[in-house]
């Protein structure tokens, strides 16, 4: 079963896609130029060692090249990490992305999703989560979290990592949305990576660089045994030429990065302020580029009503620990944001029609 | 250990790459135009069901859409097929591509490479191969074979498939180089696919369409249980947007297809005729776009000598059943072909220098 955002290919009309939480600035002009200039490179195999690609990531994150594993999207790194780690069970901080469960299923590992989000206080209850973790386990945390949008401070993450060292636990931190926090010093664990050898951080160009179609994810870890094993479980030339070309451009595209960060800060505030005093919904504060919203109607009803306005939202299928009155919306451009704000504010949305 | 063609990224000089057996016509102009026109699509996730991509392949091969599984290169299909099949051991017709072994290794399956090539008669001894196959096994055949270049008639393949039905065997036929035979009616098993549910055929756009960097492979099988299981073991959005765009163009690019076939027939004959009467080498007749050559020197010595001419060849590392005096060269454009022919004919190559 596919538990991902609405597949736009299922719809005939031109729709505004609030279900997929991608940077709406689109593909950077510099990348378009570079691809059109270097398109002939697709007739050669990519470097099987991905040496330049790893160098580019290494410079961007300021970590050593030997810490980096590259993959065909973040999911490739998640699957391979869970397969390669020796621990037999996993504890997932929930609500969480459905692919963590699937990674455990195909690796025949037992998994437990620990609902740790305090819906009243809008934060993850780290002490509660810690109290539920068993020894010799994989721990999976998405930071900032999808679907709540909430960031977890790296000092809180460190408190989990530290108790884990003695317990034989290994921590996977999915930072796929990290750049959107616009405050990596507070949230990202990357600057700590050298201190611990029981941590893997996952990133991708999918969300912040607006490139879901290019398929490039990467892992950062000081556990060389894991890095080597993940390399062994990779397929040769798993990453395509366009992803390699992208890495030569996007990480240095300061204009795109700064414009994206300014945009996310402005639009995130605009949406939150516009919807925080509504009667029929409760919007949770977000550190990412999407919002979780609690409503007083069934999410499928809201999805279907909004589709009449050509607006597609994400309903909480596949996310453990969310009731079916939750929806998730992405932060998009101002014009689109106004459309969804108006739709969500309109009285007619909340008056359920009787079935004929 | 990487047992693939020479990685051109390891060399500083501009070299002519005879190690990688790719269509040297390069990227079709139609595809370049299509990618530059549709580059913005990379900011959307590909269709998670890859419905249009499967339709395109279905039309190209004249098989039903339900028979098709798509993957991130042919290797992705090979790995997933071997993981998903219930049989516990595999028999590989050798010499063969090293990834078949690796697929067995990561799936914890026992494997046996059966050296079946008759070097005197330049054909695969099908009866010998059949006599070695045990019941309840996976059988892997590369047709036309890499590294010998020799095609196996589909009537011979059918004789293996037929005895296999009663024995619980499943046959994987890797047809990655099939279009280069220019005689699919004689060699390809695809038109038989509906008759058997113990066969998977693998193809890719890598070799014939000159697109190793785009990463698109696909499987064709009437075993719906296997197709479903392989789908379950896939990762979401495993294939990138550019591969999907390519599928809209290349299979209908009659100019490119016809030009490639005419070229391969001409250049294959040119190289064979030019080298078939040499003293120091024996060139095997090929149905593909590369030649296996037996020499009277160690292949590493020949590789190093040819590198001085900026020519890179494939030495037989990773191919079981080849001695270390074999080399493999790709068929390239006339100008490059003349260069390697002259280099291989030159007296100086065969007079080994004494070490200082």
């Amino acid at each position: 079963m596919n538990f991902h955002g609405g597949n736009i290919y299922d719809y005939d009309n031109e729709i505004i896609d609030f279900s997929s939480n991608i940077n709406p600035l689109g593909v950077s002009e510099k990348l378009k130029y570079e691809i059109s200039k270097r398109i002939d490179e697709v007739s050669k195999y990519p470097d099987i060692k991905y040496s330049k690609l790893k160098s580019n990531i290494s410079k961007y994150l300021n970590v050593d090249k030997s810490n980096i594993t590259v993959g065909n999207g973040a999911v490739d790194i998640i699957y391979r990490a869970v397969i390669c780690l020796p621990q037999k069970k996993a504890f997932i901080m929930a609500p969480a992305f459905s692919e963590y469960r699937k990674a455990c299923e195909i690796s025949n590992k037992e998994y437990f999703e620990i609902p740790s989000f305090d819906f009243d206080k809008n934060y993850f209850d780290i002490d509660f989560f810690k109290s539920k973790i068993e020894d010799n386990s994989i721990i999976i945390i998405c930071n900032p979290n999808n679907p709540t949008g909430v960031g977890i401070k790296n000092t809180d993450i460190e408190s989990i990592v530290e108790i884990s060292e003695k317990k034989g636990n290994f921590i996977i931190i999915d930072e796929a949305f990290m750049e959107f926090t616009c405050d990596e010093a507070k949230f990202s664990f990357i600057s700590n990576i050298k201190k611990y050898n029981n941590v893997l951080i996952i990133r991708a160009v999918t969300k912040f660089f607006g490139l879901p179609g290019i398929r490039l994810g990467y892992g950062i870890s000081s556990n060389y045994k894991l890095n080597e094993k993940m390399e062994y479980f990779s397929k040769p030339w798993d990453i395509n030429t366009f992803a390699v070309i992208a890495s030569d451009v996007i990480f240095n595209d300061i204009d795109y990065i700064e414009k994206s960060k300014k945009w996310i800060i402005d639009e995130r505030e605009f949406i939150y302020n516009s919807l925080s005093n509504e009667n029929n919904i409760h919007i949770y504060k977000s550190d990412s580029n999407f919002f979780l919203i609690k409503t007083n109607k069934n999410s499928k009803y809201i999805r279907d009503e909004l589709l009449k306005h050509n607006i597609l939202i994400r309903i909480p299928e596949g996310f453990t620990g969310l009731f079916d009155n939750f929806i998730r919306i992405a932060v998009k451009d101002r014009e689109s944001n106004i459309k969804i704000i108006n739709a969500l504010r309109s009285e007619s949305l909340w008056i359920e029609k009787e079935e004929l």
Side-chain angles (χ1 to χ4, degrees), chain A residues 126-219:
Chain A
I126 301 298
D127 289 332
F128 175 78
F129 182 68
K130 280 196 280 197
S131 75
K132 295 293 178 187
I133 298 167
E134 291 173 22
D135 292 0
N136 300 313
S137 303
I138 300 167
I139 293 161
I140 305 178
I141 300 169
C142 182
N143 186 29
N145 173 265
N146 177 18
T148 65
V150 169
I152 302 155
K153 281 182 291 180
N154 49 24
T155 46
D156 284 340
I157 302 264
E158 192 157 23
S159 77
I160 299 172
V161 172
E162 275 181 349
I163 61 156
S164 293
E165 276 194 308
K166 296 160 223 140
K167 294 180 165 187
N169 293 337
F170 192 97
I171 295 92
I172 296 175
I173 308 164
D174 181 352
E175 295 194 354
F177 295 94
M178 184 51 75
E179 286 97 335
F180 288 116
T181 64
C182 306
D183 192 353
E184 301 196 28
K186 180 175 170 188
F187 295 111
S188 174
F189 204 71
I190 285 184
S191 60
N192 295 311
I193 199 71
K194 279 179 202 144
K195 280 164 67 183
Y196 301 100
N197 81 343
N198 63 336
V199 176
L200 168 73
I201 297 167
I202 298 173
R203 291 239 184 154
V205 306
T206 307
K207 307 292 184 179
F208 185 72
F209 292 101
L211 296 169
I214 218 158
R215 314 311 302 139
L216 175 59
Y218 44 98

Side-chain angles (χ1 to χ4, degrees), chain A residues 90-151:
Chain A
F91 290 83
I92 302 166
M93 191 187 268
F97 189 40
S98 58
E99 290 299 328
Y100 307 142
R101 297 200 298 264
K102 173 119 186 263
C104 296
E105 280 167 19
I106 65 171
S107 311
N108 279 319
K109 304 207 172 180
E110 208 182 353
Y111 62 84
F112 305 89
E113 293 188 299
I114 312 296
S116 310
F117 188 64
D118 186 322
F119 286 94
D120 295 326
K121 296 183 184 150
N122 206 60
Y123 78 95
F124 278 89
D125 188 336
I126 301 298
D127 289 332
F128 175 78
F129 182 68
K130 280 196 280 197
S131 75
K132 295 293 178 187
I133 298 167
E134 291 173 22
D135 292 0
N136 300 313
S137 303
I138 300 167
I139 293 161
I140 305 178
I141 300 169
C142 182
N143 186 29
N145 173 265
N146 177 18
T148 65
V150 169

Side-chain angles (χ1 to χ4, degrees), chain A residues 31 38 52-57 60 205 211 214 216 241-252:
Chain A
L31 177 56
R38 292 169 59 182
K52 184 79 196 311
L53 173 55
K54 286 182 182 175
S55 286
N56 290 337
I57 296 166
Y60 173 58
V205 306
L211 296 169
I214 218 158
L216 175 59
T241 298
F242 297 104
V244 178
I245 293 173
S247 79
D248 284 341
V249 185
I250 57 174
F251 299 133
N252 299 313

